[in-house]
Amino acid sequence: MNSICSKIVDGDHNPPSGEDCPTKYRMLSSKNINCNTIVNIDDCRYLSEHDWKICHSRTGLNKGDVLLTTVGTLGRSCVVETDEPICFQRSVTILTTLIYNKYLKYVFDSNYYQELMTDTAKGTAQKGFYINQVVDSIIPLPPLAEQMRIVHAVSQWTSFIDSIESCTADLLQSIQSAKSKILDLAIHGKLVPQNPNDEPASELLKRINPKAVASCDNPHYAEPYELPNGWTWCKLTDICTFLSRGKSPKYSETDTTYPVFAQKCNLKEGGISLEKAQFLEPTTLNRWPDIYHLQTGDVLVNSTGTGTVGRTRLFNDSCLGAYPFVVPDSHVSVIRTHCDIVSEYIFALMSSSWIQTYLEDNLAGSTNQKELYISVLQNVDVPLPPITEQRRIASKIESLYHQLDDITNHIE
């Protein structure tokens, strides 16, 4: 490297304290180099003109120089494209090269150089690929004309790959939007055709909960939207045999027999994982009657915290593995419907953007700690189809999701 550079210098080792107010003179660090460019220049240390001149006299940063992060986060690079008065802290190495600067930047990006930095970096708390290592490092050097051809070819392929990744991201977003639309169609009675021979949902509701009041019998109830023939409105509590938050457990330090289901068990990317569960202290088992043991078909809703409140997952016995049972903690609500209600349909309803918006609009608590009260869940409006249509809806959602997931798996 020393043979093809007129300057190899790292940034300031003892940076000035900086100014209280913004100035046009900025001192940046490795965090400001990302995505092949200088980023977030306002996230910096502002300098006086006097301090900047001192720092600039050390690094002499100029347009066209190559920057390489060499302390902490290793190996990010870019070519300087600006004339602004900036300088850098020691986490960045500045190189003025006698070869094609973009070729040198691609060398830094290569697996060869990235592995060289990773394998030979020094330090414990914070790894560094120090200035003498940069100076002594060896790179493959083609003729100048070929350097330019290489840069041209790499730029073309990079642009092509970026366009594919952009299209892939757009497609993945479209798939998520399609899933949301499927749920929306399902709860509006537009995903599968109605069968006039199906038992009306009002009769189903009277059979499983005679005290429930259907909308047709309650003139004061304002229907959220018009339902197909055979459907009826009810409250979530009308069709549940258990609708409750979990309990605050006493955790065991050693016993791993009885897992406790927490919010983090509802994975961000979908599904459930008991790998993230803690375990119940066995001496407290009497506080957890059988009704609190999670069952296949339970719909689980995150109910406290920030960012994840309302996240909804469907529990089944395959989640248990070798565990005898799982109990929920107080941060999770359990929706257990009557056996004549298809839990997959209720899961689809609770996952829909319509219900998720309702939950978000009715959260309590502060910005730092949101809370979903059980009364909010009890009062969820349920557009209830006939039982046979619930089954058809659940089957159709499963089929369509399977096709969309196949597409996702192929493009990822």
Side-chain angles (χ1 to χ4, degrees):
M1 194 73 71
N2 200 34
S3 302
I4 51 94
C5 291
S6 61
K7 177 184 69 187
I8 303 176
V9 61
D10 55 1
D12 202 300
H13 288 224
N14 296 292
S17 58
E19 300 294 300
D20 294 332
C21 297
T23 71
K24 69 176 183 178
Y25 304 101
R26 295 177 171 90
M27 171 166 277
L28 308 181
S29 67
S30 59
K31 69 181 180 182
N32 300 108
I33 298 175
N34 206 356
C35 301
N36 304 310
T37 189
I38 297 174
V39 298
N40 302 327
I41 65 170
D42 291 331
D43 182 10
C44 68
R45 182 176 304 191
Y46 292 100
L47 303 181
S48 67
E49 181 178 9
H50 175 264
D51 286 338
W52 176 78
K53 285 182 176 178
I54 294 174
C55 296
H56 182 66
S57 66
R58 169 185 171 81
T59 58
L61 182 71
N62 291 301
K63 190 174 183 178
D65 283 351
V66 181
L67 305 177
L68 178 66
T69 60
T70 47
V71 176
T73 302
L74 302 177
R76 294 203 294 248
S77 68
C78 71
V79 175
V80 178
E81 304 285 356
T82 180
D83 290 318
E84 291 191 53
I86 58 176
C87 57
F88 283 91
Q89 297 183 38
R90 67 171 297 199
S91 56
V92 177
T93 295
I94 300 98
L95 304 97
T96 300
T97 183
L98 304 172
I99 66 172
Y100 191 20
N101 56 4
K102 292 183 179 179
Y103 172 76
L104 181 59
K105 185 257 188 295
Y106 284 147
V107 170
F108 289 151
D109 292 346
S110 69
N111 285 342
Y112 160 71
Y113 207 87
Q114 292 288 313
E115 291 173 0
L116 173 67
M117 295 184 73
T118 301
D119 293 344
T120 59
K122 301 175 181 179
T124 51
Q126 191 174 51
K127 293 288 186 180
F129 187 73
Y130 296 110
I131 195 72
N132 63 313
Q133 295 173 281
V134 178
V135 168
D136 292 337
S137 61
I138 297 174
I139 68 165
L141 184 64
L144 179 60
E146 188 170 350
Q147 294 173 37
M148 295 179 176
R149 293 197 299 272
I150 289 171
V151 168
H152 178 70
V154 171
S155 297
Q156 282 189 314
W157 280 108
T158 300
S159 177
F160 178 63
I161 292 168
D162 287 345
S163 68
I164 292 175
E165 290 179 344
S166 177
C167 291
T168 300
D170 290 343
L171 181 55
L172 290 172
Q173 181 58 50
S174 296
I175 289 172
Q176 288 303 116
S177 297
K179 287 185 173 182
S180 179
K181 183 62 176 178
I182 288 167
L183 298 182
D184 184 64
L185 292 172
I187 67 174
H188 283 78
K190 298 178 180 180
L191 188 64
V192 299
Q194 280 74 51
N195 185 338
N197 296 320
D198 289 342
E199 179 194 50
S202 57
E203 295 301 316
L204 167 67
L205 187 60
K206 290 176 185 177
R207 188 171 67 254
I208 65 175
N209 186 357
K211 295 181 180 180
V213 179
S215 61
C216 58
D217 299 326
N218 183 1
H220 302 293
Y221 177 70
E223 297 185 356
Y225 53 81
E226 186 177 355
L227 294 178
N229 291 333
W231 290 44
T232 193
W233 286 103
C234 65
K235 296 295 184 180
L236 185 59
T237 189
D238 294 335
I239 57 173
C240 287
T241 59
F242 184 63
L243 179 53
S244 174
R245 292 269 283 270
K247 296 175 177 287
S248 297
K250 181 179 180 181
Y251 291 113
S252 171
E253 297 293 332
T254 56
D255 194 292
T256 58
T257 306
Y258 309 106
V260 179
F261 193 97
Q263 296 200 69
K264 59 188 176 182
C265 297
N266 280 342
L267 300 181
K268 179 180 180 181
E269 60 273 17
I272 287 170
S273 173
L274 293 184
E275 292 180 3
K276 298 179 179 293
Q278 291 180 273
F279 293 89
L280 192 66
E281 172 55 54
T283 59
T284 64
L285 286 178
N286 61 339
R287 293 191 62 240
W288 298 87
D290 288 349
I291 197 170
Y292 279 93
H293 297 184
L294 294 182
Q295 302 174 12
T296 289
D298 285 351
V299 178
L300 306 174
V301 183
N302 289 0
S303 297
T304 62
T306 56
T308 67
V309 179
R311 183 180 294 168
T312 304
R313 299 288 181 262
L314 186 65
F315 190 85
N316 60 67
D317 283 346
S318 66
C319 302
L320 281 172
Y323 298 119
F325 59 80
V326 184
V327 294
D329 74 8
S330 60
H331 301 291
V332 177
S333 295
V334 181
I335 302 169
R336 184 176 300 153
T337 56
H338 189 279
C339 61
D340 282 340
I341 299 294
V342 177
S343 55
E344 289 84 357
Y345 172 73
I346 300 304
F347 172 55
L349 171 69
M350 297 304 299
S351 303
S352 70
S353 59
W354 181 60
I355 293 297
Q356 288 292 307
T357 299
Y358 162 78
L359 298 182
E360 185 176 346
D361 290 344
N362 287 277
L363 295 179
S366 65
T367 302
N368 295 329
Q369 181 73 10
K370 293 294 186 181
E371 181 114 9
L372 176 60
Y373 291 139
I374 200 69
S375 59
V376 174
L377 289 174
Q378 291 171 337
N379 282 292
V380 165
D381 290 307
V382 176
L384 188 67
I387 180 65
T388 51
E389 188 170 349
Q390 292 177 43
R391 296 190 186 109
R392 294 197 301 273
I393 290 171
S395 177
K396 188 66 172 180
I397 291 174
E398 182 181 15
S399 173
L400 293 173
Y401 271 35
H402 180 73
Q403 294 176 53
L404 293 172
D405 289 340
D406 272 351
I407 296 172
T408 299
N409 291 335
H410 278 87
I411 65 178
E412 287 183 336

